Amino acid sequence: MAGRDDRKSLNNQADFKVGVDNVIFSVDTQQNRLLVLLVMRQKEPYLDYWSLPGTLVRQGESLESAAYRILAEKIRVKNLYLEQLYTFGGPGRDPRESAYSYNCRYLSVSYFALVRFEEAELIADGVTGIAWYPLEQVPKLAFDHQQIVEYGYNRLRNKLEYSPVAFDVLPEEFTLGELYQLYTTILGDNFSDYSNFRARLLKLGFLSDTGLKTSRGAGRPASLYRFDSEAFALVKDKPLIFI
Amino acid sequence: MAGRDDRKSLNNQADFKVGVDNVIFSVDTQQNRLLVLLVMRQKEPYLDYWSLPGTLVRQGESLESAAYRILAEKIRVKNLYLEQLYTFGGPGRDPRESAYSYNCRYLSVSYFALVRFEEAELIADGVTGIAWYPLEQVPKLAFDHQQIVEYGYNRLRNKLEYSPVAFDVLPEEFTLGELYQLYTTILGDNFSDYSNFRARLLKLGFLSDTGLKTSRGAGRPASLYRFDSEAFALVKDKPLIFI
DNA sequence: ACAAAAGTGTTTTTTATACACCCATGC
DNA sequence: GCATGGGTGTATAAAAAACACTTTTGT
């Protein structure tokens, strides 16, 4: 990249501040709700708007480190899945661009993260509002964060179909019923019938039965399973279909 | 994004120059070779190294516009597929970062593009070297461009399986043999048997027979097909499997 | 005639889908 | 006993995979 047409373009390249914004999803297994983490903005622009947790990238810091840093500032987690989502960088996406005389653009590299709801502990610093929002109830967000959330939601739905991200959202031990519920809350409930889903997942061979049972109220107690990452490593190069 | 922890971090955010680098693929249908477009660097750093065509983003210019601009500077094309690939932005990826005293980082937003080889006309400006390189013969590249090419190649292989990108690389009219060849040159030749591939693709319903025949040397003349984008639009929401 | 490439069809195996039904528990 | 959720099996339809065979051209 860079620099090979300085000759022509002289000095009209934009200067950028680069931010990282995280779309952090989780699922409340009890209530079957897909949640996204939002924080309240404490300053202009978009003062008092909800927004995605984000930060400017510091000197010497990689994009991914910045994503981990802001996440660690907002929640304590044991388990975490994180990958880059998309880069939004059109001019005019941040009002501050025009507010100052020197020309500075704001670019956002967004990251997609999944955490376990039960293990995730929100860090309230007494100043910043922070909350899990059910996806359908997300309010008007700051900047273009609405679009970023949409983008993240698409990524989530796609990844559910061919990768084992569900196990980064579920508790370590889960029932097949919970796993199925997770898929239905995210994908809608006409993607597959429970017994077929069950048979397909078990046949993949990386769900190991712990032997433990759990009983939630009425009904037969369910077996608790856990994701066996070693068994998964053996089959992950074959095409996997979870749905 | 941005700005909500200026309080703590004061002024240690990095300043960025943002570049766009294109991984432009094409396929030489005659020789069955997957090609990537490279340009010779004319200045330091990495003087005289081959690199991906790239440019710094200008004031008021979107990332995508920058990607289109640099592409248009290097090749004339009628058809073009382009999408964002990935953003590479670790510190130290560009030697210029340390070369100057003021702290400036170089970040690269990479784009993935497909063009038709026969229609693509390379623009030689008499100064900059420019060439299609067969993927297996790509030399040591400038910056982290090797990695970007790898990333692009993965994207290409994945997209072949579930989206009609092949038709952005093939000529407008093509035989099913050429289509099959394209898949084998990119995916390797054990992905499917020709007659099954053929049956599957025809059943999808968006390849229309032009009625024309073509004969390349010996053997029975083949029918020429074209991609029917209207017919595709009707089925594109269903899961499509090309392989 | 025969090699070469295009194109068709048939058989077998594997998956997907739709259900029907049994099991274990709380109330 | 029966409602509730867990778990198993079976029958049918569809798709994938393997491969045998016919057609049409150039030489």
Side-chain angles (χ1 to χ4, degrees), chain B residues 91-229:
Chain B
R93 60 172 298 281
D94 192 313
R96 282 169 292 185
E97 289 172 14
S98 45
Y100 303 99
S101 51
Y102 62 89
N103 235 291
C104 180
R105 292 259 297 272
Y106 283 83
L107 180 142
S108 161
V109 181
S110 57
Y111 277 79
F112 167 87
L114 299 173
V115 299
R116 295 191 178 130
F117 184 64
E118 291 77 7
E119 295 175 3
E121 191 185 331
L122 300 192
I123 299 171
D125 59 6
V127 181
T128 320
I130 179 169
W132 288 114
Y133 262 88
L135 193 66
E136 322 81 53
Q137 293 168 35
V138 166
K140 175 108 178 54
L141 299 180
F143 307 106
D144 51 3
H145 287 189
Q146 204 88 39
Q147 189 190 355
I148 303 180
V149 169
E150 273 306 311
Y151 210 94
Y153 181 44
N154 280 331
R155 181 81 126 244
L156 175 59
R157 283 196 310 252
N158 288 331
K159 289 197 86 75
L160 270 190
E161 299 187 8
Y162 62 86
S163 86
V165 289
F167 311 109
D168 292 304
V169 179
L170 284 176
E172 276 203 61
E173 303 195 336
F174 51 87
T175 71
L176 292 176
E178 288 168 339
L179 181 58
Y180 181 67
Q181 282 298 336
L182 174 74
Y183 271 81
T184 54
T185 47
I186 298 175
L187 297 178
D189 55 353
N190 37 5
F191 73 93
S192 175
D193 145 309
Y194 172 66
S195 95
N196 293 328
F197 175 81
R198 181 190 167 83
R200 190 165 44 236
L201 267 287
L202 286 176
K203 206 170 118 190
L204 291 174
F206 48 71
L207 296 186
S208 67
D209 192 331
T210 60
L212 302 169
K213 301 277 179 187
T214 178
S215 66
R216 288 107 154 81
R220 176 175 172 175
S223 294
L224 283 169
Y225 287 81
R226 50 170 63 240
F227 176 67
D228 180 347
S229 48

Side-chain angles (χ1 to χ4, degrees), chain B residues 24 36-42 50-51 53 70-71 73-75 121-133:
Chain B
I24 306 169
V36 59
L37 189 68
L38 299 180
V39 296
M40 176 72 85
R41 281 188 59 80
Q42 298 300 122
W50 289 97
S51 71
I70 190 65
L71 194 137
E73 282 176 19
K74 302 299 176 186
I75 44 181
E121 191 185 331
L122 300 192
I123 299 171
D125 59 6
V127 181
T128 320
I130 179 169
W132 288 114
Y133 262 88

Side-chain angles (χ1 to χ4, degrees), chain B residues 2-74:
Chain B
R4 67 182 63 82
D5 56 345
D6 296 356
R7 177 176 26 86
K8 308 175 200 164
S9 60
L10 292 164
N11 200 21
N12 60 358
Q13 299 111 8
D15 284 302
F16 284 86
K17 291 289 186 185
V18 174
V20 161
D21 292 302
N22 288 348
V23 187
I24 306 169
F25 285 114
S26 197
V27 171
D28 179 351
T29 324
Q30 310 299 304
Q31 303 202 58
N32 290 321
R33 294 194 307 178
L34 175 59
L35 304 169
V36 59
L37 189 68
L38 299 180
V39 296
M40 176 72 85
R41 281 188 59 80
Q42 298 300 122
K43 48 161 58 186
E44 294 290 352
Y46 290 103
L47 175 66
D48 289 341
Y49 274 71
W50 289 97
S51 71
L52 295 173
T55 184
L56 289 178
V57 177
R58 296 183 182 166
Q59 293 172 19
E61 183 180 52
S62 73
L63 299 173
E64 195 172 279
S65 303
Y68 277 114
R69 173 167 58 79
I70 190 65
L71 194 137
E73 282 176 19
K74 302 299 176 186

Side-chain angles (χ1 to χ4, degrees), chain A residues 1 4 21 54 61 87 105, chain B residues 1 4 21 54 61 87 105:
Chain A
M1 54 152 268
R4 66 183 65 82
D21 292 302
E61 184 180 51
T87 298
R105 292 258 298 271
Chain B
M1 54 150 269
R4 67 182 63 82
D21 292 302
E61 183 180 52
T87 297
R105 292 259 297 272

